[in-house]
Amino acid sequence: MSLIENRAAVGPLHRHVSLRAALGADQQALPMVADMVKTLRPSEPLHCIRPAVISGAAQAFSAAFNGDVLYAVKCNPEPAALRALWEGGIRHFDCASISEVTLVRRLFPGAAIHFMHPVKSRPAIREAWVLHGVRDFVLDSFGELEKIGQEINASDTGAAEMGRPGLFIRIALPETGAVINLSKKFGADFETAVALLQAARPLAGRLGIAFHAGSQCLDPLAWRDAIALAGEVIRASGVHVDVMDVGGGFPAAYPDMDPPPLGAFMAEIDAAYDRLEMPWLKLWAEPGRALVAGGGSVVVQVQLRRDGMLYINDGVYGALADAGALNFRFPTRLLRAGHSAGAPDAAFGFFGPSCDSLDVMEGPFILPDDVGEGDWIEIGQLGAYGTCLRTAFNGFDRAALVEVADRAMLEVTGEFQPV
Ligand SMILES: *Cc1c(COP(=O)(O)O)cnc(C)c1O
């Protein structure tokens, strides 16, 4: 008998309890957010997933990208979002923890799962390999290469029976102009990457090179430069490399960020690929944000107004983490049960529900001037790094989930040009 019970800190959200009653048993079509708010009058955050938006983004990305598309599960692991991605044709999943691996395997027995975190625990490597059929592992150090080799060989189903693993060497990139840089934490430098490719080649079934341009990377040229650098590493190694994984980082639209359209990124990737002159090389990508950002929103309720600040029932320890320290701005709209007087727009900041003074979001968030206590606000573009960042801090752990038919609150128009 186990003395310690494993407990998820914050589990997946449950569908809103009164939803079935509210919709009627025979209702087939998904509801609209505004109708949901009228019916449910939610006093706790209501997470709204837009399956059609997510499926559409997955289809568009897959159609534009000349290779396999792996969805980065950390960005939004809600089963409703994952099902929408599957609907949109996604069959490959980039996982970083054994819980993500287990979740994807449970939902989709036929999915291809790739373990793309450069630093993994030994039991996670072994469980992924033995129990969940994971074959691809990323690494950026000799320590991790040794770990992966030892765990696979020590398992009852070692490389001899199961074939050899796919090994992916992650390289670090110079600054790319991404909002969130990931190369400070992960990625081998040039010489190490060359040595790792050479050392991994005899152990690997397929050998890959990978990078991540950083999250919300607004500059398509970042991929041109990264692909060229990865190509130089491959040439310097002198070994045959099968796959180049161009990572995630593809941007989404926010009120103060209108990135170039996806096609601009794909054009740079295709041109850089052609310049490599390695036609055998397969391309992979690991988008997260670009597939799901528009597919999620959270409806919050105003509990108090103090001048230009609104005290709302979700905050930086909930789905609005990026609105805090990173000062992301999100699109907002007022949802009011009664009649709206058509007040002019004004700029507001938010305080979250916890007692922590860091639980503040400066925005500005644009709402009608007469917004006040009891009103609901829908905060959009939260399908990426929203719901998944919730904590149970201070007891504000309740929230519900609905799937809705609304469109995204913002779309990329491509008017923004990086300087
Ligand atoms: C977070 C992450 C991604 C997804 O990044 P986005 O910016 O959401 O596209 C892809 N790959 C790896 C290894 C990551 O850590």
Side-chain angles (χ1 to χ4, degrees):
M1 191 181 69
S2 154
L3 293 176
I4 301 173
E5 243 183 80
N6 285 312
R7 181 173 175 279
V10 180
L13 288 169
H14 295 289
R15 292 216 183 165
H16 198 287
V17 277
S18 46
L19 192 60
R20 202 168 303 151
L23 289 175
D26 52 18
Q27 172 113 26
Q28 289 297 312
L30 291 177
M32 300 295 286
V33 173
D35 296 334
M36 278 292 85
V37 171
K38 253 183 225 144
T39 316
L40 301 172
R41 305 181 60 84
S43 58
E44 281 151 4
L46 184 67
H47 295 240
C48 303
I49 292 206
R50 294 152 155 78
V53 173
I54 295 176
S55 300
Q59 276 164 358
F61 196 102
S62 301
F65 182 69
N66 288 313
D68 286 341
V69 180
L70 289 59
Y71 170 64
V73 173
K74 76 167 185 289
C75 192
N76 188 334
E78 284 300 322
L82 296 173
R83 278 192 294 268
L85 288 158
W86 185 268
E87 276 289 300
I90 299 293
R91 295 293 179 268
H92 295 264
F93 294 84
D94 155 10
C95 293
S97 62
I98 200 65
S99 291
E100 287 182 355
V101 169
T102 317
L103 170 71
V104 172
R105 184 52 81 227
R106 182 163 52 76
L107 288 175
F108 312 119
I113 302 179
H114 313 269
F115 213 145
M116 302 312 265
H117 191 309
V119 183
K120 296 163 284 300
S121 84
R122 285 177 178 273
I125 296 167
R126 199 182 304 199
E127 185 181 330
W129 175 265
V130 174
L131 291 184
H132 306 295
V134 176
R135 291 293 164 265
D136 296 314
F137 299 87
V138 82
L139 61 114
D140 63 2
S141 64
F142 278 94
E144 191 75 6
L145 180 61
E146 187 177 276
K147 242 160 56 179
I148 295 168
Q150 287 172 348
E151 290 306 314
I152 287 175
N153 288 327
S155 69
D156 296 337
T157 45
E161 295 94 287
M162 310 292 283
R164 284 175 294 163
L167 296 175
F168 285 71
I169 311 304
R170 170 125 163 219
I171 59 170
L173 299 179
E175 284 288 325
T176 60
V179 174
I180 300 153
N181 180 335
L182 295 172
S183 285
K184 286 189 183 134
K185 183 165 177 182
F186 296 120
D189 61 26
F190 195 100
E191 281 73 33
T192 311
V194 167
L196 281 169
L197 282 176
Q198 292 164 342
R201 180 68 278 182
L203 310 171
R206 58 180 161 202
L207 182 64
I209 190 161
F211 56 80
H212 196 299
S215 203
Q216 187 67 3
C217 181
L218 298 167
D219 187 358
L221 298 183
W223 276 267
R224 175 195 69 185
D225 297 346
I227 289 169
L229 177 64
E232 284 173 42
V233 173
I234 293 174
R235 275 188 220 287
S237 76
V239 300
H240 182 85
V241 173
D242 308 286
V243 182
M244 185 181 290
D245 179 342
V246 302
F250 301 91
Y254 297 95
D256 55 346
M257 284 185 253
D258 186 14
L262 194 58
F265 293 84
M266 297 312 174
E268 289 300 337
I269 290 171
D270 289 344
Y273 177 84
D274 289 344
R275 280 191 294 272
L276 290 177
E277 296 183 352
M278 300 178 183
W280 61 88
L281 198 63
K282 289 204 166 65
L283 284 180
W284 289 7
E286 304 169 356
R289 186 188 300 276
L291 300 192
V292 292
S297 66
V298 180
V299 174
V300 300
Q301 192 171 30
V302 179
Q303 293 171 331
L304 186 79
R305 172 171 177 177
R306 204 193 298 271
D307 304 322
M309 293 300 290
L310 302 174
Y311 292 73
I312 59 175
N313 60 353
D314 202 16
V316 305
Y317 299 102
L320 297 168
D322 284 351
L326 291 176
N327 200 23
F328 264 65
R329 292 176 55 194
F330 294 100
T332 42
R333 67 170 174 143
L334 182 65
L335 296 166
R336 184 175 275 165
H339 174 72
S340 191
D345 282 344
F348 292 90
F350 294 152
F351 282 124
S354 76
C355 302
D356 184 351
S357 59
L358 292 177
D359 193 0
V360 60
M361 298 144 275
E362 282 175 12
F365 302 100
I366 307 304
L367 288 158
D369 203 12
D370 63 349
V371 59
E373 196 257 323
D375 284 336
W376 288 276
I377 299 166
E378 183 179 22
I379 306 176
Q381 301 301 93
L382 274 171
Y385 307 111
T387 307
C388 60
L389 293 178
R390 287 182 313 131
T391 73
F393 178 55
N394 226 173
F396 296 102
D397 58 347
R398 295 194 193 178
L401 180 98
V402 284
E403 288 173 67
V404 295
D406 297 62
R407 299 172 56 113
M409 281 175 71
L410 269 187
E411 274 157 32
V412 172
T413 65
E415 276 154 26
F416 171 89
Q417 287 303 322
V419 282

